[in-house]
Amino acid sequence: MNLTQRPRRLRTDGVRPLVRETELTASDLIAPVFVDATTDERVPIETMPGHERVPVGEAVERVEEVLETGVEAVMLFGVPESKDERGSRAWAEDGVVQEATRRITSETDAYVITDVCLCEYTDHGHCGVLEDDAAENPRLTVRNDETLDLLGKIAASHAAAGADMVAPSGMIDGMVGAIREALDAQGDTDVPVMSYAAKYESAFYGPFRDAADGAPAFGDRRHYQMDPANAREASREVDLDVEQGADVLMVKPALPYLDIVKEIRESYDHPVAAYNVSGEYAMLHAAAEKGWLDLEAVAYESLLSIKRAGADLILTYFAEDLADELYSNN
């Protein structure tokens, strides 16, 4: 044999790291933090091992724990003390996310991103104002345009509390434009919008709905979240969000939709984020508990694949565990 091409030459220990194409660092990661206004102590999330809901009084301490691992950014999700049909606690000045944001931004150096949605705040668990017959005979389930005003109020209240970035996740048509208008109207022109631009109606969200107490009381979210079968539609959704002023484009979930991450990365100059969601986290934990997989190894490989597909930012429940290891090795 006369092999002129031997790729294994570049796999020896000395050169292997020099020719590595993709690097994963702690600064690529965003850690979700759940703040619960209904409790005075930390509450473990059974379906997401290692994660807890924390009371508002411990929000700063919780974020400091994240920062110690080398992660620099957090995403805040809130569980309010009460819910109603329109989710009015979502934009209250003394709301759970607003109060946690004020404390965290004043006492830490964390970059604070806030989730802008209504599902955790409505008594029906849907992401907006309902159609009159949504429970019995839904056509679109959520009234689109009436919901836009509420999303603008939520984003504006988060920015007023000190949020560094807002992240609308409801997949409501026009949400980025409505939020950009609301932010600019109150002078928050420098607060960026990270849109969940391509969010699919996925079966991988189950554990999160336990964590944030945001499961629909009836039906599902097929009328406003994307069909998992569709890829071209994602490009259309992203186009619209870019036109409306989105600063960062997110794909959710991440692993089953790496093709979408890659397509958006190749088609747009904007930073691309991907959400490594609760179900992706839970299934690896479950396999590791059975002894079938090495948890740290498969978690790292999963996040590396998301980064390789083109994501600049990764929102993940593995952030702290992996970042601590990445940080200590640098």
Side-chain angles (χ1 to χ4, degrees):
M1 296 181 69
N2 183 20
L3 297 178
T4 57
Q5 298 294 327
R6 292 180 180 267
R8 290 182 57 187
R9 293 174 185 142
L10 298 181
R11 294 177 192 158
T12 58
D13 290 340
V15 73
R16 184 183 177 98
L18 295 177
V19 298
R20 181 168 293 143
E21 299 173 19
T22 306
E23 294 288 346
L24 183 67
T25 68
S27 61
D28 298 325
L29 308 178
I30 303 168
V33 172
F34 296 94
V35 186
D36 189 344
T38 70
T39 183
D40 293 324
E41 58 185 12
R42 298 193 181 200
V43 179
I45 301 168
E46 293 185 6
T47 52
M48 293 168 58
H51 285 272
E52 306 166 309
R53 296 182 185 178
V54 301
V56 174
E58 293 191 35
V60 170
E61 180 182 347
R62 177 72 188 94
V63 170
E64 287 175 339
E65 293 168 2
V66 172
L67 296 177
E68 288 174 0
T69 69
V71 175
E72 300 167 358
V74 296
M75 173 84 85
L76 298 186
F77 298 91
V79 179
E81 65 274 28
S82 63
K83 304 186 180 192
D84 59 37
E85 186 178 13
R86 293 173 69 85
S88 60
R89 293 302 299 170
W91 62 86
E93 184 178 355
D94 62 346
V96 58
V97 167
Q98 290 82 352
E99 182 58 31
T101 298
R102 277 190 287 269
R103 297 185 184 204
I104 293 165
T105 55
S106 66
E107 299 182 43
T108 78
D109 293 327
Y111 190 84
V112 176
I113 308 167
T114 57
D115 177 63
V116 177
C117 197
L118 284 157
C119 60
E120 300 103 314
Y121 300 88
T122 55
D123 54 16
H124 47 73
H126 281 282
C127 301
V129 180
L130 290 181
E131 295 177 313
D132 292 337
D133 58 350
E136 297 80 21
N137 185 33
R139 187 179 70 87
L140 292 175
T141 308
V142 166
R143 294 179 179 173
N144 194 92
D145 294 5
E146 193 172 341
T147 298
L148 293 177
D149 179 59
L150 305 187
L151 295 178
K153 289 182 178 181
I154 298 169
S157 72
H158 289 180
D164 297 298
M165 178 185 286
V166 295
S169 59
M171 288 300 286
I172 305 300
D173 290 347
M175 65 183 183
V176 173
I179 288 171
R180 184 73 270 159
E181 183 177 348
L183 292 174
D184 292 352
Q186 69 178 21
D188 286 311
T189 57
D190 292 332
V191 174
V193 176
M194 177 165 68
S195 176
Y196 289 59
K199 181 179 180 180
Y200 286 84
E201 188 216 357
S202 173
F204 284 94
Y205 299 152
F208 172 88
R209 292 173 180 174
D210 292 336
D213 192 24
F218 59 85
D220 53 38
R221 294 172 178 156
R222 70 186 185 278
H223 290 150
Y224 44 103
Q225 295 177 359
M226 288 180 56
D227 185 341
N230 293 356
R232 295 190 301 272
E233 184 185 2
S235 295
R236 183 183 178 199
E237 287 279 8
V238 172
D239 277 338
L240 292 170
D241 283 4
V242 168
E243 290 173 7
Q244 293 168 35
D247 300 285
V248 181
L249 306 169
M250 183 186 284
V251 177
K252 180 181 181 182
L255 292 175
Y257 300 93
L258 293 180
D259 59 322
I260 308 301
V261 175
K262 182 177 176 62
E263 173 62 28
I264 293 174
R265 171 70 291 142
E266 292 178 348
S267 300
Y268 300 90
D269 293 330
H270 292 58
V272 176
Y275 197 151
N276 180 223
V277 299
S278 58
E280 298 170 60
Y281 176 85
M283 68 181 181
L284 295 187
H285 263 276
E289 287 173 7
K290 289 284 190 180
W292 297 340
L293 294 173
D294 179 324
L295 181 61
E296 184 175 296
V298 292
Y300 175 78
E301 188 174 339
S302 296
L303 298 195
L304 191 66
S305 74
I306 298 169
K307 185 78 182 293
R308 190 183 64 245
D312 302 289
L313 309 170
I314 303 173
L315 179 58
T316 176
Y317 301 96
F318 287 115
E320 292 170 85
D321 292 339
L322 282 189
D324 198 28
E325 184 66 24
L326 293 169
Y327 192 68
S328 63
N329 287 338
N330 289 334

